[in-house]
Amino acid sequence: MEELIKLAAQIGELLQDAGGTVTTAESCTGGGISYFLTEVAGSSAWFDRAFVTYSDDSKQTLVGVQQATLDAHGAVSEEVVAEMANGALAVANADYSLAVSGLAGPTGKNDEKPIGIVCFGWATKVEVVTETCLFNGDRHIIRLNTIIHSLCHLQSYLMSQK
């Protein structure tokens, strides 16, 4: 946990240096990413709001995911997290956003999407990048790995922009 808080602090420093802000749209992590970002003292300078979009309805009403996208691809898809990331970016008027949706288990598995599948989206005002990962472990480990992966990718992106 200490390492995640240090990572969040580094992200905060990078955002502050760039004069940027970040927001999140989280499904399977239930606000866990935002928790670590706001554990950093002074995070209000670069973090204003987040969206916990656990249900399909909240994905639509809070961050503008289209019903057609949900119908065509399902909530756990790169297409949906791209819309979540872009929607959160717009609603929060942030410079960077990250979005996650996945199956942390132990229930929810189907033939197409196994427990541990997580889709990620990171957006700026000029691009959105998506990725899908498959994590092993129980619900806690899957959610923790999702948080770590999200924050590490954001940190790497911010460092590449220096």
Side-chain angles (χ1 to χ4, degrees), residues 14-112:
L14 290 164
L15 286 165
Q16 210 156 8
D17 290 348
T21 59
V22 67
T23 187
T24 66
E26 302 179 60
S27 186
C28 63
T29 51
I33 298 166
S34 300
Y35 169 82
F36 284 103
L37 291 171
T38 58
E39 274 294 289
V40 178
S43 58
S44 60
W46 43 267
F47 188 90
D48 178 49
R49 70 187 79 184
F51 306 91
V52 176
T53 56
Y54 214 67
S55 69
D56 287 357
D57 181 62
S58 65
K59 287 172 180 64
Q60 293 175 288
T61 59
L62 296 176
V63 294
V65 173
Q66 299 298 305
Q67 182 66 53
T69 308
L70 288 162
D71 291 344
H73 304 284
V76 181
S77 66
E78 290 186 21
E79 293 82 1
V80 165
V81 293
E83 288 187 13
M84 289 169 63
N86 280 325
L89 192 74
V91 173
N93 194 28
D95 300 295
Y96 306 92
S97 71
L98 56 92
V100 296
S101 186
L103 296 175
T107 61
K109 175 184 174 182
N110 63 48
D111 292 337
E112 295 175 14

Side-chain angles (χ1 to χ4, degrees), residues 81-87 89-90 94-99 120-130 153-154 156-158 160-161:
V81 293
E83 288 187 13
M84 289 169 63
N86 280 325
L89 192 74
D95 300 295
Y96 306 92
S97 71
L98 56 92
F120 297 84
W122 298 271
T124 67
K125 293 178 180 170
V126 296
E127 70 177 331
V128 63
V129 174
T130 60
H153 186 281
L154 178 60
S156 292
Y157 180 82
L158 290 168
S160 74
Q161 301 302 301

Side-chain angles (χ1 to χ4, degrees), residues 127-138:
E127 70 177 331
V128 63
V129 174
T130 60
E131 179 182 19
T132 299
C133 294
L134 183 60
F135 298 115
N136 293 315
D138 63 14

Side-chain angles (χ1 to χ4, degrees), residues 131-151:
E131 179 182 19
T132 299
C133 294
L134 183 60
F135 298 115
N136 293 315
D138 63 14
R139 181 177 180 82
H140 174 75
I141 295 300
I142 291 166
R143 288 166 46 112
L144 185 59
N145 282 329
T146 300
I147 293 165
I148 292 166
H149 187 74
S150 296
L151 293 175

